[in-house]
Each structure stands twice: as C-alpha cells, then as structure tokens.
Amino acid sequence: MTDKKIYQYTNVELLDLIKNGQNKTLVETAKSELDKRNLTQEKLKIAESEYIKFLEFKEKRKDEPLTRDEWISLFFLPFITPNPSWRKDHFSESEFQRFEKYGFDKKAKQASEVKILGFLFWFVIVILGIVIARYLKL
C-alpha cells in the first residue's frame, strides 16, 4: 500500500490503516479520505464486514505453507539462472522479502530452509561432478 496515493486505497485498506496505522498523520489522512467518500451506514457496515473477512484471510495466510511452485522456484531458480541485467532484484530474495512484508511467517521460515537445502543440493551436485570427473579422468 505504500506505493499508492491515499485516494486510491479501497475502503478496506483505509479501515486497516485507520485501525492499525502507526503514523498519526497518515491515519488522520485516511479518516478524512473515508469521510470524503460519503459512505452510507449500510455501505460502511459492508466495508466493516469486508474488513473482518480481510483480517481472517490475512490470519489464515500466516499459517499457509509454501506451495509446490514456490518451493521449486526457491530451490532451483536462484542457482540455475544468474541475476539478469534487466532486473535489479534477486528472485529468491524478493520472494523472501515479500513473505516477511505481508506476514507470511510460515512461508518465510520455510523459504529460508529451502534456500539452505538448495545450497546443500548444489554443493553435493558439484562435489559429485568433481568425483565423477576424476574417476573417469576427464
């Protein structure tokens, strides 16, 4: 939400900012933006119920494990493909930062474990390659 202007926030995002914001100025700005929208009581209740669903979904996502695709990409991709010149971020690092930023605690922990396993996997592959090359006298 940091890249958006306050008027681009959804009602749910504004409610989240109002209830959980640390910056008092930003909270006041969010309150005034919500007031500017002239929501009826009915629409405000709908936004509140959507906010409660958002919180439940957010809490549920904290405990979700890595998906198979995330696991495979974190295990293999950072080691096979170099950091391309057109990207300024590294894939596994940006994924790990995303997990931490959005509170995916279980995914962040698993991502760090998968990264270690990936290092070990590629280390063993290199050692096996050296041993086979020496054995075959290549």
Side-chain angles (χ1 to χ4, degrees):
M1 288 193 315
T2 57
D3 296 337
K4 295 193 311 188
K5 304 284 185 200
I6 194 79
Y7 63 85
Q8 295 174 322
Y9 284 26
T10 65
N11 294 336
V12 172
E13 290 173 329
L14 286 173
L15 286 171
D16 186 45
L17 184 58
I18 290 168
K19 294 182 182 195
N20 299 317
Q22 302 296 323
N23 184 340
K24 297 292 184 191
T25 307
L26 195 55
V27 169
E28 290 302 319
T29 307
K31 284 180 183 177
S32 71
E33 177 61 31
L34 193 61
D35 289 341
K36 285 181 193 175
R37 294 183 182 185
N38 295 325
L39 298 176
T40 63
Q41 286 290 23
E42 183 179 320
K43 288 183 180 180
L44 197 55
K45 285 181 182 179
I46 291 171
E48 286 281 342
S49 68
E50 288 174 353
Y51 175 67
I52 291 170
K53 288 177 188 175
F54 164 76
L55 289 178
E56 291 170 354
F57 185 65
K58 186 177 176 182
E59 193 63 33
K60 179 184 169 195
R61 287 177 24 184
K62 275 186 176 183
D63 297 326
E64 286 184 358
L66 285 175
T67 63
R68 183 178 307 172
D69 292 338
E70 289 169 333
W71 199 96
I72 289 171
S73 63
L74 287 168
F75 187 79
F76 288 111
L77 285 181
F79 308 108
I80 294 175
T81 58
N83 192 8
S85 59
W86 65 87
R87 283 181 54 190
K88 294 183 179 162
D89 64 334
H90 194 271
F91 174 76
S92 66
E93 292 300 319
S94 63
E95 282 294 293
F96 187 71
Q97 289 169 357
R98 183 179 67 89
F99 295 151
E100 288 183 340
K101 178 180 178 184
Y102 293 109
F104 300 144
D105 300 333
K106 190 171 185 176
K107 284 188 178 194
K109 182 180 176 193
Q110 286 180 337
S112 63
E113 292 170 357
V114 167
K115 191 174 180 180
I116 291 169
L117 289 174
F119 279 121
L120 291 173
F121 171 77
W122 288 110
F123 179 74
V124 168
I125 293 295
V126 168
I127 296 298
L128 283 175
I130 291 170
V131 168
I132 290 172
R134 288 192 181 240
Y135 180 73
L136 297 175
K137 301 202 192 265
L138 293 176

Tab-separated table of all heavy atoms in Angstrom, residues 1-14 17 26 29 37 101-102:
chain	number	residue	atom	x	y	z
A	1	MET	N	0.805	-1.196	0.000
A	1	MET	CA	0.000	0.000	0.000
A	1	MET	C	0.851	1.264	0.000
A	1	MET	O	0.328	2.334	-0.197
A	1	MET	CB	-0.926	0.009	1.221
A	1	MET	CG	-2.051	-0.987	1.118
A	1	MET	SD	-3.384	-0.819	2.318
A	1	MET	CE	-2.578	-0.567	3.846
A	2	THR	N	2.116	1.172	0.189
A	2	THR	CA	2.957	2.356	0.291
A	2	THR	C	3.145	3.059	-1.040
A	2	THR	O	3.481	4.235	-1.050
A	2	THR	CB	4.331	2.002	0.863
A	2	THR	OG1	4.925	1.009	0.039
A	2	THR	CG2	4.216	1.513	2.289
A	3	ASP	N	2.939	2.383	-2.168
A	3	ASP	CA	3.158	2.998	-3.470
A	3	ASP	C	1.924	3.732	-3.986
A	3	ASP	O	2.003	4.440	-4.973
A	3	ASP	CB	3.575	1.939	-4.488
A	3	ASP	CG	4.906	1.311	-4.143
A	3	ASP	OD1	5.695	1.946	-3.414
A	3	ASP	OD2	5.158	0.185	-4.590
A	4	LYS	N	0.795	3.552	-3.335
A	4	LYS	CA	-0.445	4.165	-3.798
A	4	LYS	C	-0.716	5.477	-3.076
A	4	LYS	O	-0.306	5.678	-1.947
A	4	LYS	CB	-1.627	3.218	-3.564
A	4	LYS	CG	-1.551	1.952	-4.363
A	4	LYS	CD	-2.824	1.141	-4.398
A	4	LYS	CE	-3.489	0.863	-3.117
A	4	LYS	NZ	-4.607	-0.074	-3.234
A	5	LYS	N	-1.427	6.341	-3.757
A	5	LYS	CA	-1.908	7.579	-3.141
A	5	LYS	C	-3.101	7.221	-2.257
A	5	LYS	O	-3.800	6.238	-2.510
A	5	LYS	CB	-2.341	8.585	-4.206
A	5	LYS	CG	-1.273	8.913	-5.212
A	5	LYS	CD	-0.263	9.840	-4.620
A	5	LYS	CE	0.723	10.254	-5.706
A	5	LYS	NZ	1.937	10.748	-5.212
A	6	ILE	N	-3.366	8.023	-1.260
A	6	ILE	CA	-4.414	7.709	-0.288
A	6	ILE	C	-5.792	7.603	-0.950
A	6	ILE	O	-6.619	6.795	-0.547
A	6	ILE	CB	-4.419	8.730	0.881
A	6	ILE	CG1	-5.252	8.225	2.058
A	6	ILE	CG2	-4.922	10.071	0.428
A	6	ILE	CD1	-4.556	7.219	2.898
A	7	TYR	N	-6.041	8.382	-1.995
A	7	TYR	CA	-7.341	8.332	-2.662
A	7	TYR	C	-7.520	7.051	-3.481
A	7	TYR	O	-8.620	6.727	-3.898
A	7	TYR	CB	-7.568	9.569	-3.539
A	7	TYR	CG	-6.595	9.729	-4.677
A	7	TYR	CD1	-6.807	9.090	-5.892
A	7	TYR	CD2	-5.457	10.528	-4.541
A	7	TYR	CE1	-5.912	9.232	-6.935
A	7	TYR	CE2	-4.567	10.677	-5.578
A	7	TYR	CZ	-4.794	10.033	-6.767
A	7	TYR	OH	-3.903	10.168	-7.793
A	8	GLN	N	-6.435	6.295	-3.703
A	8	GLN	CA	-6.520	5.056	-4.461
A	8	GLN	C	-6.802	3.850	-3.567
A	8	GLN	O	-7.069	2.777	-4.068
A	8	GLN	CB	-5.217	4.814	-5.222
A	8	GLN	CG	-4.941	5.840	-6.291
A	8	GLN	CD	-3.571	5.655	-6.929
A	8	GLN	OE1	-2.610	5.317	-6.250
A	8	GLN	NE2	-3.497	5.892	-8.223
A	9	TYR	N	-6.765	4.029	-2.265
A	9	TYR	CA	-6.995	2.930	-1.337
A	9	TYR	C	-8.458	2.493	-1.400
A	9	TYR	O	-9.353	3.314	-1.601
A	9	TYR	CB	-6.688	3.355	0.091
A	9	TYR	CG	-5.227	3.444	0.445
A	9	TYR	CD1	-4.240	3.674	-0.500
A	9	TYR	CD2	-4.814	3.314	1.762
A	9	TYR	CE1	-2.912	3.767	-0.154
A	9	TYR	CE2	-3.477	3.410	2.116
A	9	TYR	CZ	-2.543	3.635	1.149
A	9	TYR	OH	-1.227	3.725	1.502
A	10	THR	N	-8.680	1.214	-1.204
A	10	THR	CA	-10.046	0.729	-1.079
A	10	THR	C	-10.554	1.081	0.315
A	10	THR	O	-9.783	1.462	1.199
A	10	THR	CB	-10.111	-0.795	-1.275
A	10	THR	OG1	-9.391	-1.428	-0.208
A	10	THR	CG2	-9.543	-1.218	-2.620
A	11	ASN	N	-11.840	0.926	0.515
A	11	ASN	CA	-12.411	1.191	1.837
A	11	ASN	C	-11.800	0.279	2.894
A	11	ASN	O	-11.541	0.693	4.016
A	11	ASN	CB	-13.927	1.031	1.806
A	11	ASN	CG	-14.590	2.079	0.943
A	11	ASN	OD1	-14.043	3.156	0.728
A	11	ASN	ND2	-15.771	1.773	0.441
A	12	VAL	N	-11.564	-0.964	2.533
A	12	VAL	CA	-10.976	-1.926	3.466
A	12	VAL	C	-9.548	-1.506	3.824
A	12	VAL	O	-9.151	-1.566	4.988
A	12	VAL	CB	-11.002	-3.356	2.866
A	12	VAL	CG1	-10.236	-4.335	3.725
A	12	VAL	CG2	-12.438	-3.820	2.680
A	13	GLU	N	-8.788	-1.075	2.837
A	13	GLU	CA	-7.428	-0.620	3.108
A	13	GLU	C	-7.424	0.612	4.008
A	13	GLU	O	-6.581	0.737	4.898
A	13	GLU	CB	-6.700	-0.313	1.792
A	13	GLU	CG	-6.380	-1.541	0.976
A	13	GLU	CD	-5.824	-1.223	-0.400
A	13	GLU	OE1	-6.185	-0.172	-0.973
A	13	GLU	OE2	-5.017	-2.022	-0.895
A	14	LEU	N	-8.386	1.501	3.780
A	14	LEU	CA	-8.481	2.679	4.639
A	14	LEU	C	-8.818	2.285	6.076
A	14	LEU	O	-8.230	2.807	7.023
A	14	LEU	CB	-9.530	3.654	4.094
A	14	LEU	CG	-9.142	4.445	2.852
A	14	LEU	CD1	-10.335	5.239	2.328
A	14	LEU	CD2	-7.982	5.365	3.136
A	17	LEU	N	-5.776	0.861	7.696
A	17	LEU	CA	-4.835	1.931	8.022
A	17	LEU	C	-5.300	2.710	9.251
A	17	LEU	O	-4.499	3.042	10.130
A	17	LEU	CB	-4.672	2.864	6.822
A	17	LEU	CG	-3.649	3.970	6.958
A	17	LEU	CD1	-2.267	3.401	7.240
A	17	LEU	CD2	-3.616	4.788	5.690
A	26	LEU	N	-0.856	9.957	8.776
A	26	LEU	CA	-1.427	9.089	7.752
A	26	LEU	C	-2.798	8.561	8.183
A	26	LEU	O	-3.713	8.452	7.369
A	26	LEU	CB	-0.468	7.930	7.451
A	26	LEU	CG	-0.715	7.129	6.194
A	26	LEU	CD1	-0.756	8.022	4.958
A	26	LEU	CD2	0.359	6.077	6.021
A	29	THR	N	-5.232	11.342	7.681
A	29	THR	CA	-5.491	11.489	6.248
A	29	THR	C	-6.447	10.396	5.768
A	29	THR	O	-7.342	10.658	4.963
A	29	THR	CB	-4.167	11.420	5.456
A	29	THR	OG1	-3.253	12.352	5.994
A	29	THR	CG2	-4.390	11.721	3.989
A	37	ARG	N	-15.683	10.154	1.120
A	37	ARG	CA	-16.397	9.208	0.253
A	37	ARG	C	-17.892	9.170	0.546
A	37	ARG	O	-18.645	8.514	-0.184
A	37	ARG	CB	-15.782	7.815	0.386
A	37	ARG	CG	-14.370	7.800	-0.156
A	37	ARG	CD	-13.740	6.464	-0.122
A	37	ARG	NE	-12.361	6.570	-0.616
A	37	ARG	CZ	-11.569	5.555	-0.798
A	37	ARG	NH1	-11.972	4.330	-0.527
A	37	ARG	NH2	-10.344	5.754	-1.251
A	101	LYS	N	7.200	-9.103	4.523
A	101	LYS	CA	6.432	-7.859	4.474
A	101	LYS	C	4.953	-8.098	4.741
A	101	LYS	O	4.313	-7.349	5.464
A	101	LYS	CB	6.609	-7.191	3.109
A	101	LYS	CG	5.826	-5.915	2.933
A	101	LYS	CD	6.048	-5.321	1.569
A	101	LYS	CE	5.219	-4.071	1.367
A	101	LYS	NZ	5.347	-3.539	0.012
A	102	TYR	N	4.400	-9.157	4.158
A	102	TYR	CA	2.974	-9.408	4.283
A	102	TYR	C	2.629	-10.375	5.409
A	102	TYR	O	1.494	-10.803	5.528
A	102	TYR	CB	2.408	-9.898	2.949
A	102	TYR	CG	2.458	-8.820	1.904
A	102	TYR	CD1	3.351	-8.901	0.846
A	102	TYR	CD2	1.647	-7.697	1.993
A	102	TYR	CE1	3.414	-7.898	-0.105
A	102	TYR	CE2	1.700	-6.693	1.047
A	102	TYR	CZ	2.582	-6.802	0.008
A	102	TYR	OH	2.649	-5.811	-0.935
